[in-house]
Amino acid sequence: MEQAGKTVVFADLTGSTGLFESAGNVVATHVVTRCTQALGAHFARAGGRIVKFLGDGVLATFDDTVAAVEACTRTRDILHDLNTEQFRHAPLAFKIGVAHGAIIEQDGDCYGDTVNVAARLSDRAEAGEILVSESVFNRLPELQRLSCSSLDRIMVKGKAEPLRVWRIDWARTAETTLTIPLDMLDGRGRLAAGQRLHLDLLDQHLQLLSSDGPLVIGRGDEVGFSINDPRVSRRHARIEWTAG
């Protein structure tokens, strides 16, 4: 049955070949399975439907394009959270292709041009890259578009004409820069005394003074304000004072 307006995500685990060579078949199979299963669970929590696992890959569909892209930008946290000892043997990363459009669902699987484009974009991506089609880029809000770098038009296997493709900038996605002017100047144009920013979450209370350095908000022990929620990235946001 044809389903219109689905966002298709194809994620492939890179580095598994080196892992099999260095760690052996049994250990490598266990690690790869843990990685793909964890990624599938992550996509499911974000609202995706896991279509199938393909060796060291995952195929998923989303009704919400924004949720799909946000889930993809957090896949590095999946590998970090697993913290598998065997990761020392070979660097592992996900490379991801995302496309949007009509698909054909049959016997639990899905087919169609949108699926093919997502798979081809995953093939073209480098380790740790997310490539999205024009149909995905056009459905993103302006703030998320700022985190995309245009690769112009690239040839994709199976397509007669080159496709417009964008790459998601992980760092800018994790810490998008927003400059918010605050009315903190006195009548003579000087920084008013005693200005501070208060952050409160449950039993956490923190104040950020203009003399303080940047504050990182996220999940984990390395941040200044911790939010223990799977929807939050390890470095979800950074707040800093700039000239008041």
Side-chain angles (χ1 to χ4, degrees), residues 89-111:
H89 295 281
L92 299 178
F94 289 112
K95 58 177 186 173
I96 303 173
V98 189
H100 179 86
I103 64 172
I104 301 294
E105 291 188 339
Q106 183 176 338
D107 298 328
D109 207 340
C110 66
Y111 309 88

Side-chain angles (χ1 to χ4, degrees), residues 7-20:
T7 298
V8 178
V9 175
F10 197 102
D12 190 41
L13 185 68
T14 66
S16 58
T17 300
L19 182 63
F20 274 92

Side-chain angles (χ1 to χ4, degrees), residues 82-241:
L82 286 176
N83 194 26
T84 303
E85 183 70 16
Q86 278 69 35
F87 281 10
R88 299 178 306 159
H89 295 281
L92 299 178
F94 289 112
K95 58 177 186 173
I96 303 173
V98 189
H100 179 86
I103 64 172
I104 301 294
E105 291 188 339
Q106 183 176 338
D107 298 328
D109 207 340
C110 66
Y111 309 88
D113 184 63
T114 304
V115 178
N116 294 336
V117 169
R120 297 308 182 195
L121 290 180
S122 176
D123 289 341
R124 290 296 301 266
E126 299 292 333
E129 277 191 341
I130 305 170
L131 299 185
V132 303
S133 67
E134 184 173 18
S135 57
V136 171
F137 177 81
N138 289 338
R139 295 177 65 83
L140 296 179
E142 186 63 29
L143 186 59
Q144 278 194 320
R145 291 185 186 184
L146 295 175
S147 301
C148 300
S149 301
S150 175
L151 301 183
D152 202 1
R153 298 179 182 272
I154 65 175
M155 290 302 302
V156 175
K157 184 178 179 181
K159 287 290 188 179
E161 300 293 331
L163 300 180
R164 295 191 68 188
V165 176
W166 280 261
R167 179 179 60 230
I168 303 293
D169 188 326
W170 299 77
R172 291 175 65 187
T173 300
E175 294 183 3
T176 301
T177 300
L178 295 177
T179 302
I180 303 176
L182 302 177
D183 186 16
M184 293 184 171
L185 300 180
D186 62 17
R188 290 163 292 184
R190 297 180 305 188
L191 185 65
Q195 297 293 350
R196 66 200 65 198
L197 187 66
H198 292 273
L199 291 89
D200 295 279
L201 175 68
L202 300 178
D203 59 346
Q204 287 192 83
H205 308 285
L206 186 146
Q207 65 178 14
L208 186 66
L209 303 176
S210 59
S211 58
D212 293 333
L215 172 70
V216 176
I217 299 173
R219 179 165 52 90
D221 299 328
E222 308 86 9
V223 299
F225 196 82
S226 179
I227 303 177
N228 186 22
D229 188 307
R231 296 169 296 180
V232 175
S233 304
R234 302 196 72 83
R235 292 177 60 86
H236 198 82
R238 184 181 64 204
I239 301 176
E240 61 182 320
W241 296 85

